[in-house]
Amino acid sequence: MSAPLPPFPSHEEPSADAPELLQLGSPDDEPCLRADAARNRARLLEAAGKLVAEHGASCVTMEAVAAEAKVGKGTVFRRFGDRTGLLAALLDHTEKKFQAAVITGPAPLGPGAPPQERLKAFGLALLRRSADELDLQLAAEPSAERRYSNAPRRFLRGHVLILLRQIVPDADCELLALTLMQYLDPSMIHYRTRICGMPADRVEAGWLDLVDRLTRTAPSA
């Protein structure tokens, strides 16, 4: 079965020409960066990626990245602000790829499939992405006040909301979107798979069952 927006967007599917959906960092991270600044940023991210690959995300510090990249610690802080900002920047590439797949990629993750099938595919894709990046995602978790309001989370939740409005238009879709996204939260995935020892196929099957049960409540076409 292999198959963002204000917090709660309008009914229209987000389009590829809406750059705010893919805007994950600050304006300083835009392509207008001077060439030398862009090279320095890439160098720091390369150093951070190497440390993650060799030692795991928990061992990545601003000091370690500075030493690996052979720059001053202040350079890393000026570029990324703090450790969370640095780790979030490492996730930026896969986040943009995932968003592009949702917006313009092939069905069922992308447009062209029924909303129920898109919702299933979305959850499976996000679960599998999290399995590949779970340690990094957990390390990059924003503070509590920003956890559900940062740009990537708003995009993902907004996409689920759009699909829910098509599947169960009479439901409180905003609240339901928040509830469904909790199933896909990295901390919850960590608890189910690492603490409870649930296999990935059981977690994925649970998502499909959840969507099927939701679909059965939808009004007939």
Side-chain angles (χ1 to χ4, degrees), residues 13 22 94-111 118 122 125 155 159:
E13 181 75 18
L22 300 178
T94 55
E95 180 65 35
K96 287 182 177 178
K97 286 177 60 179
F98 188 85
Q99 291 188 14
V102 168
I103 296 169
T104 60
L109 182 58
R118 292 197 70 190
F122 171 83
F155 172 84
H159 177 65

Side-chain angles (χ1 to χ4, degrees), residues 5 36 57 79 99 120 122 177 196:
L5 291 170
D36 58 341
R79 180 67 265 166
Q99 291 188 14
K120 288 183 180 182
F122 171 83
C196 298

